[in-house]
Amino acid sequence: MAKPILLTVDDDADVVRSIERDLRSHYGAQYRVLASDSPEGALDLVNQLKLRSDSVALLLADQRMPRMDGVQFLQKAREIFPEAKRALLTAYADTNAAISAINEASISYFFLKPWDPPEEHLYPQLDDLLDDWQASYRPSFEGIRVLGTRWSPRSYELRDFLARNHVPYQWIDVELSANDAETKRLLDALGPEAANLPIVLFPDGTKLLETVPAEVAQKVGLQTRAQTSFYDLAIIGGGPAGLAAAVYGASEGLHTMIVECEAPGGQAGMSSRIENYLGFLRGSAAPTWLDAPWCKPGALEWNFCHRKRPSLSV
């Protein structure tokens, strides 16, 4: 599970390095510490963290920064991560502004610079804030997320492809954004790209817009191209007959390849039960197809292609 994030922002490079060092030395085992030297860059980073489904535990910003002060930054970041604790770094002369900002921007705490020694002026207060955050923290889903609309054929095709290939994913219906604040925040982080449905978001921060199963297959590591230019036997379709032919061909020493458009098992992969089939003495339910020896990596060469479903007109 990915560590929650502590994000600090200050336009002074020396202050950034100092606070980052102190945070990492004390909290590095439990949290990831990130730093930015500009509020604009920090907001871009916050948007990226949202798209990656990361969790932000603390936003710590300097009050006096050019173009955007600390309170303004924390207000904008709060719209993206409302559960994160928010704190200001201020000089003694800014304490009145910091105190008023506690009410205006719901800031949790403010720290005076310098904070040395941190064991007295930084860590005890942050410990209280992070303990309070941990009490209500629920880890977010870390796998693939699919954004689309419920009745979209392309969205359904992607969901069906991932499910039949046993790839964990989270489905997000964008039409529910009016009633789901978290979905709305995710769409806001995507910006104009949110209109290019269906969208697939990956844990590494990359995304595919208006994508199709072949692109997703390549991204998740399924083989989409032949490894060599010559095969003794090529099987088109990985259903029951194709699987049987490929297994027997490979057992005779033939260099065998299966080309399948959806998932191992073909149409049989959607059947509730198949009796008396190759390798299953007591029959097989559809979900067990991918557990069969010939579906394991290296047993046979599988290639996944994408075909457009024929459209019907009345």
Side-chain angles (χ1 to χ4, degrees):
M1 184 177 67
K3 297 178 182 178
I5 290 168
L6 310 181
L7 174 61
T8 181
V9 189
D10 199 306
D11 62 309
D12 188 321
D14 291 334
V15 174
V16 167
R17 285 193 294 268
S18 180
I19 188 67
E20 184 181 11
R21 180 197 62 231
D22 288 343
L23 290 177
R24 185 168 285 119
S25 65
H26 191 73
Y27 299 104
Q30 295 176 285
Y31 299 89
R32 290 170 55 202
V33 179
L34 302 179
S36 175
D37 59 2
S38 74
E40 296 85 0
L43 282 177
D44 290 340
L45 179 57
V46 167
N47 274 315
Q48 294 174 20
L49 295 174
K50 188 67 177 180
L51 296 179
R52 288 167 48 180
S53 195
D54 284 321
S55 298
V56 176
L58 175 70
L59 297 163
L60 180 60
D62 182 37
Q63 169 60 10
R64 291 195 177 186
M65 294 185 290
R67 299 179 300 278
M68 184 188 305
D69 62 32
V71 173
Q72 292 173 327
F73 165 76
L74 293 174
Q75 286 175 325
K76 292 180 181 294
R78 180 190 180 192
E79 297 175 359
I80 304 172
F81 286 102
E83 300 86 4
K85 296 298 179 180
R86 296 170 294 280
L88 275 178
L89 284 172
T90 67
Y92 181 78
D94 295 327
T95 53
N96 290 333
I99 292 172
S100 62
I102 290 178
N103 296 324
E104 295 174 5
S106 298
I107 293 173
S108 307
Y109 202 85
F110 70 91
F111 297 91
L112 292 177
K113 295 189 294 186
W115 55 87
D116 291 329
E119 291 78 11
E120 295 181 13
H121 303 301
L122 183 68
Y123 298 150
Q125 296 84 352
L126 285 182
D127 286 343
D128 290 341
L129 292 179
L130 294 175
D131 286 344
D132 188 39
W133 180 84
Q134 285 280 2
S136 59
Y137 168 55
R138 297 294 180 271
S140 56
F141 182 76
E142 296 182 358
I144 295 172
R145 291 173 292 168
V146 180
L147 285 74
T149 55
R150 181 180 181 184
W151 304 112
S152 166
R154 295 181 63 185
S155 297
Y156 177 81
E157 186 177 27
L158 281 174
R159 296 168 63 190
D160 183 58
F161 175 79
L162 292 170
R164 295 185 63 186
N165 283 280
H166 289 197
V167 179
Y169 73 95
Q170 181 186 42
W171 164 247
I172 300 174
D173 189 345
V174 300
E175 293 179 332
L176 301 179
S177 60
N179 301 318
D180 187 353
E182 185 63 24
T183 300
K184 186 178 185 304
R185 285 191 287 267
L186 181 58
L187 295 178
D188 290 342
L190 283 168
E193 293 179 338
N196 301 321
L197 300 173
I199 301 172
V200 180
L201 303 176
F202 296 91
D204 61 359
T206 59
K207 53 183 175 290
L208 295 175
L209 307 177
E210 297 181 313
T211 187
V212 295
E215 295 176 339
V216 177
Q218 187 172 10
K219 177 66 178 177
V220 300
L222 298 177
Q223 189 170 319
T224 58
R225 294 184 179 275
Q227 292 181 338
T228 64
S229 59
F230 178 82
Y231 292 87
D232 299 314
L233 178 63
I235 309 296
I236 310 301
L243 282 173
V247 170
Y248 284 121
S251 69
E252 295 297 326
L254 299 178
H255 192 188
T256 304
M257 175 181 67
I258 301 177
V259 180
E260 169 57 40
C261 288
E262 295 178 348
Q267 182 64 31
M270 302 179 67
S271 301
S272 60
R273 191 161 190 82
I274 301 172
E275 301 291 344
N276 191 27
Y277 183 71
L278 176 72
F280 298 95
L281 299 180
R282 297 179 178 84
S284 168
T288 62
W289 279 97
L290 289 180
D291 296 326
W294 51 78
C295 291
K296 298 298 183 182
L300 293 171
E301 182 170 331
W302 284 86
N303 284 275
F304 291 87
C305 64
H306 171 62
R307 66 182 177 192
K308 294 184 178 179
R309 297 180 183 273
S311 57
L312 301 178
S313 58
V314 180

